[in-house]
Each structure stands twice: as C-alpha cells, then as structure tokens.
Amino acid sequence: MYYIERNPITDATFLAGSVAEPATGETVWATNTAYALGVEVIRPTLHRVFKAAVAITADPGNKPPEEEPTKWKDMRATKRHLPFGPAIRADRKRVYQSLALTSTTEDLHLNLAMRYVNALALFGLRGALWRVQVYTKPVALGGVLAKEFSGRIRSSATGYWQYGFGQRFERDRVLVTGLPIFPNAEVRISVEGSGDQVRALSQCEVGKLRFIPGDWGGVLAGLRRTPRVISESKQDADGSTAVLIYGNTYDMRGTVVLKGQQEDAALTQLRGLLLKGVAFKPTLAPGFEQSLAFGLLKSADTERASLGRSEVQIDIEGLPT
C-alpha cells in the first residue's frame, strides 16, 4: 500500500504565477465598511472566505469576521488554498469539503516551492489536460525545467459519432511518481482547457511517496474499492424528500502482507496515518490507475499470521473529492 506524505503547505509555498489571493471575484474584508447580507469576503491571514449572516453597517469598531461568528459564517478556503484540504476553520475545527477550484475563462496554475518531493496526486480533475513541470529551483532564481509530465483528462474521440454520442473515459484523478528531487524545486501544476471549458481541481497532495512497509510487502488479491456518494436526506412535512449531495468518493479495503520482522515499523507508520486525510494507492502496477483514493485510515488490524509473516487489514474511508 502506497501513500503520499504531504509536504507542509504555507503561504510561502505559492510562487509567482499561482492562483492569486485575493483571486478574481474575491474581496478582502476591511474595517469601517458596510456589507449587505450574503456578501462574501476573505481573510488572507486565515485563507478563509466568510459570508455576512446579517447586514453590517460601517463602523471603525467592526471586528474581523472570525471574531464575530454571529455576524459572519465561515464558508470555505480561499481559491488559492481550496485544493489543499483539510481547511482549518476560524473555530479551529478541521474540515474536508468537496469544493473544487474551477474556472471557465482561464487555465488553473499552482506554482509551488517544494523541498525534496517525488510524487503528487491530483483529484477532481476536469478539463482537457493536466500538466506537471519540475524545475531545479524557482524560475525567478534561474531554475530550469528538469522534467515534465502530462496527460489527457478525457480520452480523445476516435470519430465524429464518438465525439457526439460515444462514452469517453474520463480520468478525474492521477498519481504522478518519479518527480526529480531537488532541495528547492519549483513544481508547476496546470489544469488546461479551451474556450469556456470547465477546468477543475478539488484536491492536491504533493510530497514523498511512502509504502507500507517492508521488502516484499504488497496488497493481496481481494482488494475492494467502493465508490459512493456523500449525501444527506431529509423528509419534509409535505412528503417531499430533500437530498443534499456533498460529493463522491471511494472507500477501500484490503490486506497487506509483509515480513514479520517489518511489523513494528508498519505499526509505527499506521499510527501516524490514522484519522488524517491521505492519498492512498494499493499498487503502482498497471491497471490500478483509478484506484487512487483520498481518505482516512480508520483502522489497520495487524495479525502475525505465522512466525515470518504478518497481515494488515486496511480500512480506508474515502473523503469527498
């Protein structure tokens, strides 16, 4: 079982050319300013969007939105930070939301300063093409392109009929491995399209590719992946049913086999992964490209099956992407 140990994402991570903060359509909150009910503002220091729950009059004594929870509702991360959940709300709660960074007017660009990374995972892709470029150091400091990866998000049509009516395979997630490693690299991530085509990216994990755990460990046959929708239903008094759909995900369960002598190392890794959103991949073998899940490791029942063999029952609850 492989996973990405994500590098920390801070404001300094974003280099020139990234989605701005504030981005197009975002407004920074200002004191002594009137805001109508429903107006949204951002707090760049928190990287959060707040929505006015009441009409707010101009007053030099107005407090920031995070200090006025009865007047402002904490909604989501700013566009720049949206693909890097979980978000930490003003009340300090950790929140995972299925909210994608989207655009119908321009390509999406995230240019990241990254130290010693060799893999990344992208989820919720929409558009024509994804592209990842690794530079030896930030371009502003003279970095040169070391390697480029790219791929289609939607398979090409083989003819006019398929273009208009055929079912074309869409790759909404991708794991990119083998990134060249540098102590101060610039990693450029792009989601590209044409015209008013929707470009989208809901989750981005960039860091170090790890595996559980040992020399010949792997996932046994019987791996189960369960696509499901995250929703909430409510029966109204008039007999109608309101259904709120928050996104979709994969759950994943399987058995990892490893040498008994690697069990201690595996248990240490597994404890560190519990209840933390992580990108998981059961194997790097061909045929498992879409078995890439972003989720919480809920449990990892570990059994010494024999003197030299241990088995780990992996149970991953998918998070919305």
Side-chain angles (χ1 to χ4, degrees):
M1 180 70 71
Y2 291 82
Y3 65 93
I4 291 181
E5 181 183 297
R6 188 212 278 185
N7 275 22
I9 302 295
T10 67
D11 208 37
T13 301
F14 298 94
L15 301 175
S18 295
V19 174
E21 191 179 51
T24 302
E26 292 181 334
T27 302
V28 177
W29 174 84
T31 189
N32 197 20
T33 303
Y35 293 103
L37 172 67
V39 167
E40 291 188 342
V41 298
I42 75 165
R43 290 283 286 156
T45 54
L46 301 176
H47 314 299
R48 300 294 297 166
V49 177
F50 293 86
K51 183 177 182 179
V54 296
I56 296 172
T57 58
D59 188 330
N62 284 348
K63 295 180 180 179
E66 67 273 17
E67 298 181 21
E68 297 276 14
T70 60
K71 296 181 179 180
W72 294 94
K73 183 178 179 181
D74 190 336
M75 298 297 293
R76 60 188 180 275
T78 57
K79 291 181 180 180
R80 171 182 279 189
H81 286 261
L82 205 55
F84 297 95
I88 306 300
R89 293 194 318 207
D91 59 9
R92 307 311 301 165
K93 290 183 179 179
R94 180 179 296 182
V95 178
Y96 292 92
Q97 293 175 290
S98 180
L99 297 173
L101 173 64
T102 61
S103 175
T104 57
T105 58
E106 59 186 5
D107 296 339
L108 305 178
H109 297 286
L110 293 166
N111 301 338
L112 310 176
M114 282 289 155
R115 180 176 176 83
Y116 298 124
V117 301
N118 67 347
L120 63 83
L122 305 175
F123 297 87
L125 289 167
R126 292 186 67 188
L129 183 76
W130 61 265
R131 189 185 310 276
V132 174
Q133 298 172 314
V134 181
Y135 289 80
T136 54
K137 57 184 177 182
V139 174
L141 300 178
V144 297
L145 181 64
K147 197 166 185 178
E148 179 175 313
F149 308 80
S150 64
R152 293 191 63 86
I153 297 172
R154 192 179 190 192
S155 61
S156 301
T158 57
Y160 180 78
W161 187 91
Q162 189 183 38
Y163 179 82
F165 305 101
Q167 184 173 341
R168 295 156 62 187
F169 178 61
E170 294 196 29
R171 298 169 177 84
D172 72 331
R173 59 198 61 207
V174 63
L175 174 68
V176 184
T177 61
L179 275 63
I181 300 171
F182 300 101
N184 186 27
E186 178 173 343
V187 178
R188 294 189 171 187
I189 301 166
S190 304
V191 180
E192 303 170 10
S194 58
D196 60 357
Q197 182 178 21
V198 175
R199 295 85 150 168
L201 173 64
S202 64
Q203 188 70 31
C204 180
E205 298 290 304
V206 187
K208 300 171 179 62
L209 188 68
R210 305 297 195 193
F211 63 96
I212 304 171
D215 301 326
W216 49 265
V219 178
L220 292 174
L223 176 73
R224 176 173 293 183
R225 291 133 296 174
T226 309
R228 64 179 174 86
V229 67
I230 298 175
S231 64
E232 178 183 355
S233 299
K234 180 182 178 182
Q235 190 78 36
D236 294 331
D238 62 1
S240 62
T241 299
V243 180
L244 299 177
I245 298 176
Y246 301 108
N248 63 73
T249 186
Y250 283 113
D251 293 338
M252 188 157 57
R253 297 174 179 84
T255 301
V256 177
V257 60
L258 56 139
K259 290 181 180 179
Q261 65 191 29
Q262 297 288 343
E263 186 178 289
D264 282 346
L267 287 170
T268 300
Q269 282 181 289
L270 292 166
R271 285 198 302 272
L273 289 171
L274 286 170
L275 300 180
K276 178 172 63 175
V278 177
F280 291 97
K281 185 84 178 291
T283 176
L284 302 183
F288 290 84
E289 286 79 6
Q290 291 298 293
S291 297
L292 175 66
F294 180 72
L296 301 173
L297 178 63
K298 294 194 66 178
S299 65
D301 187 23
T302 304
E303 177 184 4
R304 182 63 67 94
S306 65
L307 182 62
R309 172 189 171 106
S310 293
E311 294 183 359
V312 183
Q313 306 292 328
I314 298 291
D315 184 359
I316 297 169
E317 177 184 335
L319 291 169
T321 54

